Amino acid sequence: MTVINQVRLVLPAKSVNESYARIAAAALAAQFDPTVEQLADVKTAVSEAVTNAIVHAYRDRKDGKIYITMKLTQDGRIVIAVRDTGCGIADVAQARQPCFTTAPGEERSGMGFSIMETFMDTLRVSSRPGRGTTVTMSKRLR
């Protein structure tokens, strides 16, 4: 994979930063002149990944950070990794099931991973309890 451009962000895990992450992803993706639908897909997936980190990874902490790496590749893809150093996921397979949530009392739908998977071409989730989670996703834009 030859990277032709990349951006790295470190954001405090605050809900106000979710929109910043979306806009940054859209600005980078725009370099490939994507369709409006492709751009919306990327923004939605990034929004879900960042929101998951804010809501789930740092549930009991106020000092969390979200690390985002976004790359454009020579073959026309955007590759986005959203990483946290929060509580981690004990069972990734279970967490990826539609409607599964660790916060049922908070009116969470449990659809975050399903949405990311639907809007992106690839989705990989790696996690270690007590160490954090990395969500890596990609989409061909041209």
Side-chain angles (χ1 to χ4, degrees):
M1 167 175 66
T2 302
V3 175
I4 59 173
N5 200 359
Q6 84 175 2
V7 174
R8 289 190 176 119
L9 302 172
V10 179
L11 304 171
K14 297 181 179 186
S15 60
V16 296
N17 289 328
E18 176 269 331
S19 61
Y20 184 83
R22 285 172 55 99
I23 291 167
L28 186 65
Q31 294 176 28
F32 279 155
D33 195 25
T35 65
V36 171
E37 183 178 303
Q38 288 172 322
L39 205 52
D41 290 352
V42 169
K43 288 167 61 176
T44 300
V46 167
S47 178
E48 289 295 329
V50 170
T51 298
N52 272 1
I54 293 166
V55 171
H56 299 291
Y58 298 116
R59 176 181 315 274
D60 299 321
R61 293 174 45 191
K62 301 287 186 215
D63 63 340
K65 292 196 181 332
I66 300 171
Y67 305 86
I68 304 170
T69 303
M70 298 179 278
K71 301 174 183 179
L72 297 180
T73 64
Q74 191 170 22
D75 65 349
R77 301 180 79 73
I78 187 166
V79 180
I80 302 166
V82 178
R83 181 176 65 86
D84 65 68
T85 57
C87 64
I89 302 170
D91 186 339
V92 171
Q94 182 183 37
R96 289 185 67 165
Q97 294 301 309
C99 299
F100 175 81
T101 182
T102 59
E106 296 178 16
E107 299 181 21
R108 296 285 163 197
S109 70
M111 296 298 291
F113 288 132
S114 296
I115 291 169
M116 288 178 245
E117 198 164 35
T118 298
F119 287 105
M120 301 297 278
D121 296 335
T122 66
L123 175 69
R124 188 175 73 245
V125 181
S126 60
S127 189
R128 291 180 59 196
R131 303 289 302 270
T133 301
T134 301
V135 173
T136 305
M137 51 197 162
S138 71
K139 186 170 188 73
R140 182 173 300 283
L141 298 177
R142 65 173 188 191

